[in-house]
Amino acid sequence: MRVILERSNLLKSLNHVHRVVERRNTIPILSNVLLHADGASLEMKATDLDLEVNEATAANVEQAGATTVPAHLLYDIVRKLPDGAEVMLKTDEDGNAMSVISGRSSFRLQCLPQSDFPELSAGQFTHNFRLESAAVKTLIEKTQFAISTEETRYYLNGIFLHTLEVGGKLKLRSVATDGHRLARAEMDAPAGSEGMPGIIIPRKTVSELQKLVDDPDVPVTTELSDTKIRFTIGSVVLTSKLIDGTFPDYQRVIPTGNDKQLIIDRESFARAVDRVSTISSERGRAVKLSISDGQVTLAVNNPDSGSATEEIAADYSSDPIEIGFNAKYLLDVAAQLSGSEAKFMLADAGSPTLIHDTADEHALYVLMPMRV
Amino acid sequence: MFAAMPTPVNDPSHGFCRDCLTFQRGAGLRCSACGSPRLARHPELYSLHIAHIDCDAFYAAVEKRDNPELKDKPVIIGGGKRGVVSTACYIARIHGVRSAMPMFKALEACPEAVVIKPDMEKYVRVGREVRAMMQALTPLVEPLSIDEAFLDLSGTERLHGRPPALVLARFSQAVEKEIGITVSAGLAYCKFLAKIASDFRKPRGFSIIGQAEAVGFLAEQPVTMIWGVGKAFAATLEQDGIRMISQLQHMERGELMRRYGTMGDRLYRLARGQDDRRVVPDHDAKSVSAETTFDTDLASAADLVPVLRALSEKVSARLKKAGIAGRTVVLKLKTHDFKLRTRNRQLTDPTRLADRIFQTGLQLLEKETDGTKYRLLGIGVSDLSDAQRADPPDLVDLQARKRAMAEGAIDALRDKFGKKAVETGYTFGKGRNAHPPEDMER
């Protein structure tokens, strides 16, 4: 293999691809990126066996061929080459090493044969649809923070993407929960998504996808079956296994009878929560909200260091209520709200509370209160 | 009797009798009042105040106390055929039995030994009685285990009307009289030397290491005497030609730190008898766990799971009793060839439920049941916190609350009717393995 291309093109593609490679690997080939030069392009591919990203970029191919080299190493080399440089990648005749030559710099990297590189066979996709990258961003970002990290509940370690009919219209929904909070985003279902299976997209795939959809002009083509999903964003193709599990019936936990309505300025609420929670360094300490006519008092009590309270004005006229929440969860939700006001629907101190985004009727959050 | 005593002074020829507590003047080998040879004499006798107290062959001593027939017999406390020796009484030790020795070896060395399964609850109870007596002497009691502790007796002289050395001697007598077991005490100016001292003339020992003699005394000791120097580190030192503490005493601090990092600093200071660690009363537990060594090696899930369940319930019971919960579940396995495997998993919230600990442990265990034969299984939780935030209600797992309530009901029944009043199918009728003897627990 012998190929010459611009550093910037190589860097951009490697940047997309190399992140998939785990820093620590017990299987050597998984540390490598597959390079495949053919026609007028160089294709790069990396995988962790659950997720695969590949991208092709324009290149001057003098001799077609393929090999694999350590992904992070190649990325670091290319990153440190000067701007505007041209890079030549050239394998030895025996194929055991590859040279990276640019200007007066020259590197030799050990190769592993491309035939050892695992293929994530995608199989047949049953559904396929297109979404604007902004839509993908919304589906991810509104819900990502609520994904569970608890391995024991592997079926919560991702975003549940599914369609369902709401008021006679088919909607595409993303939902994530860790048992303490739940986040739901929704939009009109795109053509082609009808009848798709409900799928759980793993956390790592979600976060890679999020990094790939930063260009608002490039639409995202989604193909899926009940075991795999593939996103094509311009020249990048991300293929991933799906979580093999059943997402719980989340609709049952979204309360419908909460009748105490609290409307509060999002910004000042978030700042106040942040301020009072300073008193407890311990993760997961509760903030107590004492809600009464036109006012919310936030209080944090830390037996080891002291206490804090803050009052903020609010729109509330139901019976007074005291309820506690994990400070971090409140801040996470507040950070997702796009409107200037947050609307809380409360029942009592022990029942799930609903939070609406006043500017986005499709987003919805549920928080489980804490004992205070 | 004590009130009339003159204020004791540090004088090499002064001291007291550990049996009748009479002051001694002169250099006689026996007490001038009762004739006992157990005299305490030391130039710094009345100026030292850090003590280490260690019960002698604790588990065995408790058993002998409760069954006088055992008094003159070699007694070994340990589990099953396959277990290890937890404690050997001093008679068994004469035959070469040591703690942590595999039971079959111990019985080879001392075939006539009486082997008793440990009754941890009893030992804990007696250990608490001893500790309560220590706490009557000073609030600064730092337990190291069920049967040993450091005591800082500084500033208690007026309260007790006598210096720490006498307080300690009287304490040893009182434990013998009131509880019926013996202890050994070490008295020094720092924890490091107090601990060494208590180990010096066991059983019923009373040893003193003063400031003046510390360096000379340490010079003659092997490096393994230093707290923190285990087998591996001793081997490293040995490679560098260091075997005795005297060698460390001739080395520079910088040199030691270059070679051994922060441990080098510790070697430097401890070798010179410098130890400024304070006696800290409550060392919070870092983890709660239970483990058992099997009679025969086990490999299959069918054999291991009931044990895991029983141990999880035990850990849970302790957490509930102590009002604490843990966030990280730790599974411990020892293979037939003594290799240790520990696996852990962090939960999103602390738990104290047997079911949660068990289910998490089960997932970890599944990956390890690959045909390997195990001799030991343990489960525990670490990352402890108070129970307030343990097992919060869950949005998704609607059964969680029911399971927690069921477990509460089981606990209540067990409290009332005994441990086996309610059992899960995991352990019911599974025999000895599912109801492991309580050996080697920590």
Side-chain angles (χ1 to χ4, degrees), chain A residues 148-153 156 177-182 248 252-253 282-285 350 352 366 368-371, chain B residues 327 344-349 356 359-360 363 367 383 385 387-398 401:
Chain A
S148 169
T149 52
E150 194 172 333
E151 291 166 70
T152 319
R153 300 209 271 179
L156 299 181
T177 180
D178 62 3
H180 302 111
R181 59 249 175 96
L182 178 145
R252 286 192 5 201
V253 307
E282 200 186 329
R283 114 203 102 194
R285 180 76 63 179
V366 183
M368 198 71 197
M370 285 175 83
R371 294 180 280 250
Chain B
R327 191 158 173 254
N344 57 64
R345 179 162 286 178
Q346 200 176 55
L347 307 172
T348 45
D349 301 284
R356 197 98 200 276
Q359 294 294 348
T360 311
Q363 295 199 359
K367 291 184 191 162
D383 204 354
S385 61
Q388 176 104 55
R389 290 208 314 280
D391 305 298
D394 193 282
L395 274 174
V396 181
D397 189 354
L398 300 169
R401 202 177 302 195

